[in-house]
Amino acid sequence: MAKSPEVKLAVFGRAGVGKSALVVRFLTKRFIWEYDPTLESTYRHQANIDDEPVSMEILDTAGQEDVLQRESHMRWGDGFILVYDITDRGSFEDVAPLKGLLEDLKRPKHVPLVLLGNKADLEHARQVGTAEGERLAADMACAFYECSACSDAVGSGGGVAEAFYELCREIRRR
Ligand code: GDP
Ligand code: MG
């Protein structure tokens, strides 16, 4: 049997935006409230996306690494999920600089990206409008999702898994 292509996905974003919760949600369909925020983990996952098998290696970054560590994570990845928290404007403002760093490092290659606004279940505490997320994604020429690590029932566009799948498709298209 042919080996399925392997893609390396890295999840970036300010500490506390829900990177670990999202990765675990994607892998287990469960929500777990607390993770060690200093922990950095990699996971392997197999899926069929549009009837093609894909092997993923997923790096859940801690969001507080130093410049050198961050650069090595960026070099490692084939594609990136940039996460912010819709209830934390500062986390949204962190996204564009991250994208800038990625472009500098990966130049002249096109960098496969997905923008993800997490914690869409906390509508009452929202600080970043959906339209702002859409605009940023348009600037970065990437897909955009709002979702929640708590539930696939809130947010736009098919939940957490869809964001990971779309990133795999984007890598495949490169
Ligand atoms: P990380 O530092 O980016 O890995 O963030 P964590 O995954 O550790 O999550 C930080 C905090 O936000 C934890 O208390 C989580 O329970 C909470 N959290 C993560 N995702 C969501 C979400 O979608 N909705 C809500 N309400 N809380 C979330
Ligand atoms: Mg974490």
Side-chain angles (χ1 to χ4, degrees), residues 20 36-37 39 60-61:
S20 301
D36 181 343
L39 220 62
D60 172 23
T61 67

Side-chain angles (χ1 to χ4, degrees), residues 136-156:
L136 179 60
D139 285 348
M140 304 196 307
C142 72
F144 170 61
Y145 299 89
E146 278 190 353
C147 58
S148 165
C150 302
S151 160
D152 279 336
V154 288
S156 62

Side-chain angles (χ1 to χ4, degrees), residues 15-21 31 33-34 118-119 121-122 148-150:
V17 296
K19 297 179 296 300
S20 301
F31 180 63
W33 276 100
E34 292 305 329
N118 190 37
K119 308 198 188 180
D121 56 297
L122 301 179
S148 165
C150 302

Side-chain angles (χ1 to χ4, degrees), residues 50-84:
D50 312 326
D51 295 325
E52 281 182 52
V54 181
S55 299
M56 292 167 230
E57 211 176 326
I58 301 169
L59 170 64
D60 172 23
T61 67
Q64 48 195 341
E65 39 281 291
D66 63 33
V67 174
L68 283 177
Q69 278 171 308
R70 193 169 55 198
E71 281 193 12
S72 84
H73 293 157
M74 288 180 167
R75 287 212 172 81
W76 175 87
D78 300 318
F80 302 87
I81 301 194
L82 303 184
V83 184
Y84 66 93

Side-chain angles (χ1 to χ4, degrees), residues 82-99:
L82 303 184
V83 184
Y84 66 93
D85 169 354
I86 68 154
T87 73
D88 174 7
R89 174 156 297 275
S91 72
F92 181 68
E93 286 163 358
D94 279 359
V95 170
L98 274 175
K99 155 88 161 50

